[in-house]
Amino acid sequence: MDPKRLPPGTHQEEFRRRRTRREWRPLEDRSCTDLPWFLLFTVFCVGMGCICSYTIVTGGAARLVFGYDSYGNTCGQRNEPIEGVRLSGLDHRDRQYVFFLDPCNIDIVQRKIKSLALCVSLCPGEEMKTYEDLKTFAMLNGSELCSYELAGHKYPGLPERFDKCPKLPVPPSKALPVFNRCTPVDVSCYAKFAEAVVTFVSDNSVLHRLIAGVMASKEIIIGLCLLALGLSMILMVIIRYISAVLVWILTAMVVLGSLAGTSVLWWLYIDHRLFSNTTAPRVAKETSEEAELDLDKRQALLVYAASATVFTVILLLLMLFMRKRVALTIALFHVAGKVFIHLPLLTLQPFCTFLALLVFWIYWVLVLLFLGTTGNPQQSEETGLTEFRLTGTLQYLTWYHAVGLVWISEFILACQQMTVAGAVVTYYFTRDKNRLPLTPILSSVLRLLRYHLGTVAKGSFIITLVKVPRLVLMYLHNQLKGKENACARCLLKTCICCLWCLEKCLNYLNQNAYAATAINSTSFCTSARDAFVILVENALRVAAINAVGDFVLFLGKVLIVTSTAFAGVLLLNYQRDFAEWLLPLFIVCLFSFLVAHCFLSIFEIVVDVLFLCFAIDTKYNDGTPGKEFYMDKALMEFVESSRRLERVVERGRSRVKEAVVSEGAEMKPMAPGTSSA
């Protein structure tokens, strides 16, 4: 039949049939996905760059790097006068350093120094106790430490010296390497600020001992951090060999713990009731309040015991019905270990992601600091000092910059998920593992950069839409702490919790959508829909893998942190000179947890992508010629054992059915008029 003469709607039906007959295997011929979102993300990044350019052009970056005085003059440059600000427009080309008259006058709330700042030629390298010392320093070095309108040779006799000269004694200071600020050599005056930041510091001596302990143990700290790194990499490889034993031991411990807790509660209830019955005559003589209290305790124990019993029964039923799913989790862990053996460059993925995030975060912080010194000069009514602040519509630049932090950070993390998914998909759908591409990771990165950046941008934007409101609500909750009523506090916490749960669900769906895109080269929405259908069809398996797998990986993180902490205690115990090794140990534990989380998160992504590939494989293939499985031997054994179990169950059902039919035939009465031969 001529296609042009087909009835209306036939082309759409043919397209749907082709779409449903998708082969679900990595495509060689790909096309760009979600191109408008890639263009939108590019425009957004250009906007982020324009903010940085604006701060540089308007002098905010120069004021941050070179510093500026309290009259709006940038140090080390010729300045233009500022209308309404006295002593502005000075030539400071020979004054390159910022000197604070009272460097220890810190506003802890605003986190800035509340002191008159001047541009000077040289930072005072020695302590100066009198105004004569200030005069001598100005005459010898040409660096005047009092306000510009005061002459250096008249310092000792000027009445303004108490307000416009540095607070005596002037501590020795030296310039910072990059930012040209004169900083006191002895930082003891910052003890109050350190106490506000580090709440457990109660006095100066404790702070000094903690810092000294960290500096003395820096080699041990570096060694322990490397130990945590090595343990994380080793655990990902050996977990394939201990996954079966580990999972079943944990399952048995949970079940036995639930049974033991339920038994103890029932024993306490029975014991309390028997004790009450034996002492009934004595209780009758006691007050009614004590009797009511005893009854309340007995009823509470009964409620606890009944609740524990219901929980235990539900747990046992879940373990009974999900035992096959637990076996699937073990098989997936086993195959994930093989993936890391065949694709060892996966272990470098956390380093690349961390490096990208670190570079972006440094850039973001620098631009944020630039924004803090950008804008129109304004004099403070309280202190009379000149500050640069963004006013009007320019205030929204900070919000734009804040949204950029979330979106671009999520974009980098999503690129990692897409890269790992692409490599794992290539591994799974390659029948002969000895014929894998030379660099599956590099091929996955190139596919991402060439075709799927728009998909990653769209998925990360969806997460941003949920995360930004949650962060805003968290900020409001912290700002209103102690001021809002109980109802408002409960409502805020409920909204924050709901947004957090939604974010976790979207993260999981996005990850599977990236895997579907890596397979079929489809857009984000299409991939998310296809992945969602597959996950819903395997809901029980998904629940088992997430519950058991996440618990096992959490225990892996705990194992790495505790092992590193134990080694740290043994090594730091030899530092007899510094008893305060709590801070070094805390640093080591924090770093080991972050390292373990990064590496085991990669392992978790591999397991999730393997499960999606396995679900697709079992849905569209059955092992017959032309529809051979792609799965690994361990997963094949799981499928065969599941099929054998299903055949046994089906055979038992058929036997029961035949027995019922034959029994019904024997009990059927003979028809009238018939007789035996």
Side-chain angles (χ1 to χ4, degrees):
M1 183 181 292
D2 187 1
K4 298 180 180 179
R5 302 178 60 184
L6 290 174
T10 306
H11 291 289
Q12 288 82 355
E13 294 176 1
E14 179 67 21
F15 175 74
R16 288 195 202 96
R17 284 197 296 270
R18 289 180 180 177
R19 188 178 65 184
T20 55
R21 289 200 302 267
R22 187 179 297 138
E23 295 185 2
W24 282 96
R25 67 185 64 180
L27 298 177
E28 295 297 332
D29 298 329
R30 292 177 174 265
S31 59
C32 294
T33 56
D34 299 295
L35 185 59
W37 282 94
F38 170 69
L39 297 178
L40 177 63
F41 181 74
T42 303
V43 171
F44 184 84
C45 291
V46 170
M48 294 283 289
C50 290
I51 293 177
C52 180
S53 302
Y54 173 76
T55 60
I56 295 175
V57 170
T58 55
R63 280 190 287 268
L64 176 68
V65 175
F66 300 110
Y68 64 98
D69 60 18
S70 297
Y71 307 106
N73 302 298
T74 303
C75 298
Q77 297 181 4
R78 181 192 293 272
N79 297 276
E80 297 294 331
I82 301 174
E83 184 178 356
V85 179
R86 67 183 187 89
L87 297 179
S88 62
L90 300 179
D91 186 359
H92 284 331
R93 284 179 293 180
D94 58 342
R95 299 172 179 175
Q96 302 177 354
Y97 304 102
V98 181
F99 176 75
F100 298 97
L101 270 61
D102 187 7
C104 296
N105 185 10
I106 299 174
D107 185 355
I108 296 178
V109 177
Q110 299 294 330
R111 296 179 179 87
K112 62 182 181 180
I113 299 176
K114 295 176 59 177
S115 169
L116 183 67
L118 302 173
C119 293
V120 298
S121 303
L122 184 66
C123 298
E126 297 179 356
E127 184 180 23
M128 289 178 283
K129 300 180 180 180
T130 64
Y131 292 104
E132 285 290 342
D133 295 337
L134 293 177
K135 173 185 174 182
T136 303
F137 182 79
M139 295 295 100
L140 293 178
N141 301 293
S143 182
E144 299 177 349
L145 303 183
C146 296
S147 187
Y148 303 133
E149 69 269 24
L150 303 182
H153 63 281
K154 297 181 180 180
Y155 283 169
L158 291 175
E160 300 95 338
R161 65 184 184 277
F162 300 106
D163 297 327
K164 298 183 179 181
C165 285
K167 182 180 179 181
L168 297 178
V170 179
S173 60
K174 61 180 180 180
L176 293 176
V178 178
F179 294 100
N180 298 332
R181 268 73 169 180
C182 295
T183 307
V185 177
D186 184 9
V187 296
S188 60
C189 66
Y190 297 135
K192 183 179 179 182
F193 183 73
E195 183 180 352
V197 176
V198 186
T199 55
F200 61 83
V201 176
S202 58
D203 61 279
N204 230 5
S205 60
V206 175
L207 175 63
H208 286 173
R209 288 202 301 270
L210 287 174
I211 296 175
V214 172
M215 296 305 297
S217 309
K218 56 182 181 296
E219 293 85 2
I220 296 177
I221 293 175
I222 295 174
L224 291 172
C225 292
L226 294 176
L227 173 64
L229 183 64
L231 289 176
S232 301
M233 298 177 67
I234 293 172
L235 182 61
M236 288 195 303
V237 177
I238 67 173
I239 199 170
R240 58 172 291 199
Y241 300 106
I242 66 172
S243 58
V245 178
L246 184 62
V247 168
W248 287 119
I249 288 177
L250 293 176
T251 303
M253 289 176 61
V254 171
V255 172
L256 292 176
S258 179
L259 290 173
T262 304
S263 302
V264 169
L265 286 173
W266 279 114
W267 177 77
L268 290 174
Y269 169 73
I270 295 173
D271 181 71
H272 192 275
R273 186 168 183 175
L274 291 176
F275 178 77
S276 300
N277 291 335
T278 55
T279 58
R282 212 180 312 163
V283 172
K285 298 179 182 179
E286 295 178 354
T287 62
S288 59
E289 294 181 358
E290 294 180 352
E292 290 178 0
L293 182 61
D294 184 74
L295 180 61
D296 291 341
K297 290 181 179 179
R298 190 162 67 245
Q299 290 178 349
L301 283 173
L302 178 61
V303 171
Y304 295 154
S307 302
T309 302
V310 173
F311 173 78
T312 303
V313 171
I314 294 175
L315 182 63
L316 290 174
L317 292 176
L318 286 175
M319 291 299 176
L320 178 64
F321 288 109
M322 297 178 67
R323 63 187 184 280
K324 291 192 298 182
R325 281 85 184 180
V326 174
L328 175 60
T329 305
I330 297 172
L332 288 173
F333 272 54
H334 184 77
V335 178
K338 289 185 177 180
V339 170
F340 280 96
I341 292 177
H342 285 88
L343 308 177
L345 291 180
L346 276 179
T347 56
L348 298 179
Q349 195 62 37
F351 294 105
C352 299
T353 303
F354 176 75
L355 182 61
L357 287 173
L358 182 63
V359 171
F360 169 68
W361 288 341
I362 292 174
Y363 164 82
W364 188 87
V365 170
L366 285 177
V367 176
L368 182 65
L369 295 175
F370 292 165
L371 284 172
T373 55
T374 303
N376 300 319
Q378 294 182 350
Q379 278 189 313
S380 173
E381 297 180 358
E382 179 184 355
T383 61
L385 307 181
T386 301
E387 296 288 343
F388 291 88
R389 296 173 184 171
L390 295 172
T391 57
T393 57
L394 295 178
Q395 294 178 351
Y396 295 104
L397 293 179
T398 305
W399 287 100
Y400 188 97
H401 194 60
V403 173
L405 171 66
V406 180
W407 191 3
I408 297 179
S409 298
E410 291 295 330
F411 177 83
I412 295 173
L413 294 174
C415 287
Q416 172 183 268
Q417 294 176 349
M418 177 71 86
T419 301
V420 175
V424 175
V425 162
T426 302
Y427 171 86
Y428 187 94
F429 288 99
T430 301
R431 298 187 188 278
D432 188 0
K433 308 305 180 187
N434 295 323
R435 295 186 177 181
L436 284 170
L438 294 177
T439 55
I441 303 295
L442 182 59
S443 301
S444 180
V445 172
L446 294 178
R447 284 198 302 269
L448 168 64
L449 297 177
R450 174 65 178 84
Y451 300 107
H452 304 310
L453 285 178
T455 300
V456 172
K458 187 175 183 179
S460 57
F461 180 76
I462 292 175
I463 300 298
T464 304
L465 287 180
V466 179
K467 178 168 284 189
V468 169
R470 182 173 66 85
L471 294 176
V472 171
L473 290 178
M474 291 175 63
Y475 174 77
L476 292 176
H477 181 264
N478 291 331
Q479 292 296 315
L480 298 176
K481 187 174 293 184
K483 300 179 182 179
E484 78 280 17
N485 56 31
C487 182
R489 183 168 59 252
C490 180
L491 184 62
L492 273 176
K493 289 184 177 179
T494 303
C495 293
I496 292 172
C497 181
C498 292
L499 289 174
W500 181 83
C501 294
L502 179 60
E503 181 184 339
K504 293 298 180 184
C505 295
L506 289 176
N507 266 321
Y508 183 72
L509 182 60
N510 281 8
Q511 180 179 303
N512 288 278
Y514 299 147
T517 299
I519 299 174
N520 291 321
S521 188
T522 50
S523 64
F524 177 82
C525 291
T526 303
S527 300
R529 182 199 61 201
D530 294 340
F532 181 75
V533 171
I534 296 293
L535 295 175
V536 170
E537 292 174 351
N538 298 269
L540 290 178
R541 288 177 172 176
V542 171
I545 291 171
N546 286 334
V548 179
D550 290 350
F551 187 56
V552 171
L553 295 179
F554 171 75
L555 288 181
K557 297 174 186 178
V558 173
L559 176 64
I560 292 173
V561 173
T562 53
S563 300
T564 309
F566 179 72
V569 170
L570 293 180
L571 294 175
L572 292 171
N573 190 40
Y574 290 101
Q575 298 288 103
R576 300 295 182 183
D577 296 335
F578 301 99
E580 287 80 11
W581 41 262
L582 179 62
L583 185 58
L585 189 63
F586 174 78
I587 295 174
V588 167
C589 291
L590 178 62
F591 183 83
S592 61
F593 176 79
L594 293 176
V595 169
H597 176 72
C598 290
F599 278 91
L600 294 182
S601 294
I602 295 292
F603 192 90
E604 184 179 3
I605 294 174
V606 171
V607 171
D608 290 337
V609 175
L610 283 174
F611 170 72
L612 183 66
C613 296
F614 170 77
I616 294 169
D617 199 6
T618 54
K619 180 177 181 179
Y620 294 98
N621 300 310
D622 55 9
T624 59
K627 290 186 176 182
E628 295 85 0
F629 288 120
Y630 288 93
M631 64 186 66
D632 190 86
K633 182 180 178 181
L635 294 173
M636 191 76 73
E637 292 175 354
F638 168 78
V639 172
E640 291 298 330
S641 62
S642 300
R643 288 182 173 179
R644 285 196 299 269
L645 182 60
E646 290 176 359
R647 285 195 293 266
V648 170
V649 173
E650 188 65 28
R651 195 179 299 117
R653 290 176 181 173
S654 61
R655 289 178 180 175
V656 171
K657 186 176 180 180
E658 291 174 0
V660 171
V661 171
S662 62
E663 183 178 354
E666 293 176 358
M667 296 179 63
K668 185 177 180 180
M670 290 187 298
T674 59
S675 60
S676 58

